[in-house]
Amino acid sequence: MDKIAIIGLGLIGSSIAHAARRGRLARQIAGYDASDDVRLRAGKIGFCDTIPDSAAEAVTDADLVILCAPVGAYKAIAAEIAPHLKPGAILSDVGSVKGAVLRDVAPFVPAGVHFIPAHPIAGTEFSGPESGFASLFDGRWAILTPPAGSDAQAVARLKAFWQGLGSQVDVMAAGHHDLVLAITSHLPHLIAYNIVGTAEDLEKVTEGEVIKYSAGGFRDFTRIAASDPTMWRDVFLNNRDAVLEVLGCFNEDLSQLQRAVYNGDGDMLFEFFTRTRAIRRAIIDTGQDSAAPNFGRNKT
Ligand code: NAP
């Protein structure tokens, strides 16, 4: 690429810039963020070559434009940048939901611009331009969801870009992406937010005790429950149907476990926990997590 433009300079936007630099994927990286403060901080860190004062200016002449803001902001950004996109450019994004992105952005995309949504399955619980790092996408999956009739060459170029950032790349339909991510990402976040909230609301166990004895398992939920509230509000507002579908399955399984605990059905519990342990093993075997005890933490 000659020029890429990144709109939204938080965790994901800054990580793309760092990784694109590392891989020498573009001659010029332009960045823009709606926040004056973020633009200033990003300028000091220096992962972009230019940080103009408007999104329109950032995308001008860019071969690849990537939206890295919260999904709820996409529609307004698309409306603003659409007239400034270069013919032949690729417009993409990193949003955690894909059906809603197609709905919100596609109507603004001018003829001759290739709109190919994408989603890197990589992240941390941190936000902001300081939290980005070049190796975030290494060995992780990026999913492209090109709409029907997308230009194959543009899809191949975007795929090569994500491989250059360190990712492995899959291509699937937006609707299927939203269902897969509802169970692998969105529901786990909802559960984590819920369990941490429940612990805070318990009356017979003090907050001090919850924190002091958190190494019993609670602590691992708190990492996920510390994720950015704006981003996750937008995820649940924009993937409602798929989240409700998997939440229904989850509630059924939870009722089954509740019955087994109530009835003292040890066989059922043992069989269930054995099945889930195999999933953890498969995640480690495919290199998607560390096999080190306690996620590689030094102390329990
Ligand atoms: P982040 O660290 O909070 O960064 C988002 C940045 O976008 C913030 O600096 C925000 O500024 C800025 N922004 C908000 N509205 C904007 C607008 N209209 N124009 C330009 N910039 C705007 O969030 P993130 O974790 O990088 O997430 C960004 C996107 O990546 C989201 O769509 C999310 O779904 C997706 N994603 C996140 C993860 C993850 O684990 N975090 C993983 C995969 C994909 P303010 O803070 O001032 O609002």
Side-chain angles (χ1 to χ4, degrees), residues 5-206:
I6 299 170
I7 308 299
L9 300 176
L11 168 70
I12 302 294
S14 63
S15 294
I16 290 176
H18 285 297
R21 277 246 173 105
R22 181 189 67 178
R24 298 175 194 279
L25 303 184
R27 279 193 200 90
Q28 192 198 341
I29 301 175
Y32 172 76
D33 196 286
S35 155
D36 296 346
D37 182 49
V38 170
R39 290 203 303 280
L40 200 71
R41 282 152 52 204
K44 281 186 187 148
I45 302 167
F47 50 75
C48 290
D49 298 300
T50 56
I51 304 184
D53 288 338
S54 76
E57 204 180 321
V59 305
T60 299
D61 290 331
D63 304 293
L64 169 64
V65 174
I66 310 178
L67 309 183
C68 300
V71 170
Y74 279 11
K75 196 173 179 177
I77 298 174
E80 184 190 340
I81 64 172
H84 306 276
L85 294 169
K86 177 167 107 170
I90 296 172
L91 173 62
S92 189
D93 78 307
V94 295
S96 306
V97 301
K98 299 274 57 104
V101 168
L102 261 182
R103 178 199 67 203
D104 288 350
V105 176
F108 297 98
V109 180
V113 170
H114 307 290
F115 176 44
I116 308 168
H119 177 206
I121 314 300
T124 74
E125 65 277 30
F126 297 108
S127 309
E130 293 81 8
S131 56
F133 54 99
S135 59
L136 178 64
F137 309 110
D138 288 350
R140 301 282 169 250
W141 286 95
I143 299 176
L144 310 189
T145 60
S150 292
D151 179 79
Q153 228 181 342
V155 175
R157 284 184 78 199
L158 188 63
K159 186 173 175 185
F161 179 79
W162 276 101
Q163 286 168 335
L165 296 179
S167 290
Q168 314 179 67
V169 180
D170 258 347
V171 176
M172 64 178 74
H176 188 64
H177 165 279
D178 287 354
L179 190 62
V180 172
L181 269 291
I183 186 64
T184 57
S185 172
H186 307 167
L187 189 63
H189 277 79
L190 201 65
I191 293 167
Y193 283 124
N194 188 49
I195 195 168
V196 174
T198 303
E200 204 197 2
D201 294 343
L202 277 182
E203 282 174 6
K204 291 184 185 162
V205 179
T206 65

